[in-house]
Amino acid sequence: MKAILLAAAVTAAFSGAAFAEFPERPITWVVPFGAGGVTDITSRRLAERLQAELGQPVIVENKPGAGGIVGSQEARIAAPDGYTLLLATSGPFGIQAALSPEKLPYDPLSDFEFIHGVTASPQLIVANYNAPFNTMAELVAYAKEHPGELNFGSPGVGTAQHLGGELFKRAAGIDLEHIPYTSGSTQMVDLAAGVIDLSFEYQTVVAPYVEDKKMKILGVTLGERLKASPDVESVTEAGYPDAVNVGWTFLAVPKNTPEAVRAKLEDAMAKVMNDPGIVAQVESDGRSVVNLKGHQPGHDYISAEIAKFKAAADGIALK
């Protein structure tokens, strides 16, 4: 019996020492969307900063498909050793969990452990630069005069951008056809070219096209105006408070990742997300830092968001 206990103690000590050395090799940061979108841009910026904290390369891998489900599932089945991180987003972790949980090959709340909050972002309502409307009021009037003619793109079914469009069209009482893409960059190219009419996208993605006069901003899906864009009217100001929508992201790992490994990742990400330079960059993009450290705060936040999406998106079909 003593021999067994001694062996167990030695094994525990060895394991603790092994975890204390984490990380000993490169870490993969999974982005469940294509290159060029807001999640990709943000992840590459943060991964570089996290690499400096951990002393090992943090490599971003884009694994798009099914509105973020494909990449999220790949992260779920990865070894729970801390070497695979996932940028968990409100589409596959909140919206789809609320609207069609039976379509998910994972449970966002029980198959992952949350390391730290990342960002919360409203969407900008943008149109092709040559569209025959310049404000939300003009958009709504045009849509009502031309029923069934307008559409909006998103990076995929069930993404925050998709729900943003669905909520706006329901709040405004207009008909907009949803055009799903597999990446945010492709969607933006088509909007700039006039292939699609509208999008509900993030400031980081939209800004270059607005500067080049290929797109124009009609509004923002917030209750108040953005500090970074004070001239942009909010949906609440325009009379559509039910269209308020914010996309969020968290850093997550597969369930059963050792506590010691999670603790190292939590401490490192806390430093990253509290870095004044990172905070300034996030806020300049029209977003805010979700300053929640550890699994339980993240779990509680996402659980509440799923409940909110269920109530807010009642009747919206993911098609």
Side-chain angles (χ1 to χ4, degrees), residues 24 31 72 76 104 124-125 147 182 202 221 261 292 298-299 314-315:
E24 297 181 300
V31 175
S72 298
R76 184 192 74 82
L104 297 180
L124 293 174
I125 304 172
T182 57
Y202 299 103
T221 60
V261 171
L292 295 175
H299 179 281
D314 181 39

Side-chain angles (χ1 to χ4, degrees), residues 2-318:
K2 290 182 179 179
I4 294 175
L5 292 174
L6 179 60
V10 171
T11 300
F14 177 78
S15 298
F19 294 144
E21 297 301 320
F22 173 86
E24 297 181 300
R25 54 186 172 85
I27 294 170
T28 297
W29 177 308
V30 176
V31 175
F33 299 98
V38 66
T39 50
D40 178 63
I41 294 170
T42 300
S43 290
R44 292 181 187 279
R45 182 184 300 164
L46 297 180
E48 182 178 358
R49 182 67 179 79
L50 183 60
Q51 176 174 309
E53 289 294 333
L54 294 175
Q56 288 287 347
V58 180
I59 302 167
V60 172
E61 288 191 4
N62 299 95
K63 296 185 178 181
I69 293 176
V70 171
S72 298
Q73 170 66 356
E74 288 200 30
R76 184 192 74 82
I77 63 176
D81 54 12
Y83 289 97
T84 300
L85 312 177
L86 170 69
L87 192 71
T89 71
S90 52
F93 269 68
I95 298 168
Q96 296 189 63
L99 299 181
S100 54
E102 73 283 353
K103 295 182 180 180
L104 297 180
Y106 54 83
D107 184 324
L109 296 175
S110 63
D111 288 338
F112 295 89
E113 292 170 310
F114 302 102
I115 299 300
H116 204 286
V118 183
T119 61
S121 332
Q123 289 95 40
L124 293 174
I125 304 172
V126 290
N128 178 271
Y129 191 77
N130 296 316
F133 36 77
N134 296 298
T135 66
M136 283 185 280
E138 291 177 1
L139 163 62
V140 171
Y142 184 92
K144 289 182 176 179
E145 292 171 4
H146 302 81
E149 290 188 13
L150 295 179
N151 57 42
F152 73 97
S154 83
V157 172
T159 57
Q161 295 95 316
H162 175 200
L163 185 59
E166 295 286 356
L167 289 175
F168 181 81
K169 78 177 191 181
R170 187 172 70 169
I174 59 176
D175 182 21
L176 300 175
E177 180 186 2
H178 176 229
I179 309 296
Y181 286 78
T182 57
S183 74
S185 56
T186 306
Q187 175 209 174
M188 288 291 98
V189 170
D190 277 4
L191 179 57
V195 176
I196 58 175
D197 302 307
L198 301 161
S199 182
F200 295 73
E201 255 299 353
Y202 299 103
Q203 182 168 306
T204 307
V205 178
V206 168
Y209 296 95
V210 173
E211 291 173 5
D212 290 343
K213 297 187 181 302
K214 293 181 179 178
M215 297 179 192
K216 53 189 173 184
I217 303 172
L218 309 182
V220 60
T221 60
L222 277 179
E224 64 285 328
R225 297 195 179 201
L226 278 171
K227 291 181 180 178
S229 304
D231 296 331
V232 177
E233 187 180 25
S234 74
V235 290
T236 298
E237 287 181 287
Y240 311 115
D242 290 342
V244 171
N245 186 48
V246 177
W248 41 260
T249 56
F250 277 77
L251 193 65
V253 292
K255 181 182 179 181
N256 296 323
T257 297
E259 183 177 353
V261 171
R262 295 201 320 268
K264 280 204 167 186
L265 290 170
E266 290 169 9
D267 289 344
M269 273 303 290
K271 292 178 181 178
V272 171
M273 299 313 304
N274 284 284
D275 181 287
I278 292 294
V279 172
Q281 287 179 327
V282 168
E283 291 181 347
S284 71
D285 291 338
R287 298 174 291 168
S288 60
V289 170
V290 179
N291 205 359
L292 295 175
K293 177 184 176 182
H295 173 67
Q296 198 59 50
H299 179 281
D300 293 347
Y301 180 100
I302 293 173
S303 179
E305 283 290 288
I306 291 173
K308 181 194 77 175
F309 286 138
K310 283 181 179 179
D314 181 39
I316 293 177
L318 291 184

